[in-house]
């Protein structure tokens, strides 16, 4: 469990995320489930060592975080030879302007800045098979 | 945050999952991120109240858990009028036999029972828009 946790926390750092919570659980006789909640959404992992398989979600929002860095980091640390990576755009997809309308009263512009950062725009599902 | 947590925990119960960990975080000025780790994988939620939007993942494995019960429960509790629900099959999809091969030494059959239960077979992504 410690190794899996270290890899997922490292992945969050690798893509520039801000970690806000970490929750991991080890199953008997084997298998780990864990989540790293980040300010930009979350990373999760479930491992089935008996199948040499792990399912990873990298859910990020904003333009700063690079979920592909996290995916590459995780595949590399697990020495995964056969990663299957699916990218899903989800949420309120901005139009051609790149602006998302919102109704927050925001005279200082500070909330808009934060809101823009938190617009959900990408979730990566990473399936690792050795 | 307490309401969002109550809804996600209630959803885990609604689909018959076994809760093993709960981690929630409230953002300033608003927005909640949270995860309920279950023995059968996890439920997660990220809310953008400024958009009246929430993104939910319901990741389950095995034949017992009914992720659609959790999806219905969450949509109902949030009074979501316009849910967008996507089901993704992921992991090692069993073939026509419904059996997944594994290599665990298991003279008592107890591990096989557990392994079968934990085979990943469905993840639901639920996007709620009011």
């Amino acid at each position: 469990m410690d190794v899996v946790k270290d890899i997922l926390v490292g992945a969050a750092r690798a893509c520039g995320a801000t970690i806000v919570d970490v929750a991991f659980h080890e199953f008997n006789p084997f298998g780990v489930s864990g989540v790293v909640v980040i300010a930009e959404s979350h990373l999760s992992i479930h491992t089935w060592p008996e199948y040499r398989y792990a399912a990873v979600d990298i859910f990020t929002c904003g333009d700063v975080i690079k979920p592909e860095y996290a995916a590459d980091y995780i595949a590399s640390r697990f020495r995964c030879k056969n990663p299957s990576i699916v990218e899903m755009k989800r949420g309120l997809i901005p139009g051609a302007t790149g602006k998302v309308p919102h109704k927050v009263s925001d005279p200082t512009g500070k909330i808009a800045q934060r809101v823009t950062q938190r617009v959900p725009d990408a979730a990566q599902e990473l399936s690792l098979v050795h």
Side-chain angles (χ1 to χ4, degrees), chain A:
Chain A
M1 185 177 76
D2 290 341
V3 172
V4 175
K5 188 193 291 185
D6 184 66
I7 291 174
L8 214 64
V9 167
R13 292 194 182 121
C15 69
T18 302
I19 297 170
V20 297
D21 210 342
V22 177
F24 275 76
H25 185 80
E26 189 159 18
F27 292 96
N28 183 15
F30 34 60
V32 170
S33 283
V35 183
V36 177
V37 181
I38 56 178
E40 304 83 3
S41 293
H42 76 265
L43 287 74
S44 69
I45 188 165
H46 303 285
T47 73
W48 284 262
E50 64 272 37
Y51 298 119
R52 303 180 68 77
Y53 172 80
V56 176
D57 292 342
I58 303 163
F59 188 162
T60 65
C61 59
D63 300 324
V64 179
I65 304 300
K66 303 289 182 197
E68 59 271 26
Y69 290 4
D72 290 346
Y73 178 92
I74 291 166
S76 170
R77 286 284 309 270
F78 278 111
R79 281 176 252 165
C80 173
K81 288 176 189 154
N82 188 21
S84 163
I85 301 180
V86 176
E87 180 169 358
M88 285 187 67
K89 298 279 187 185
R90 64 191 287 182
L92 307 165
I93 309 295
T97 66
K99 301 274 187 183
V100 176
H102 62 91
K103 296 172 182 175
V104 179
S105 171
D106 181 23
T108 66
K110 286 185 181 172
I111 294 175
Q113 194 175 17
R114 174 194 160 279
V115 162
T116 303
Q117 193 193 343
R118 284 194 68 239
V119 170
D121 68 0
Q124 285 206 343
E125 183 216 24
L126 173 63
S127 293
L128 304 174
V129 179
H130 287 266

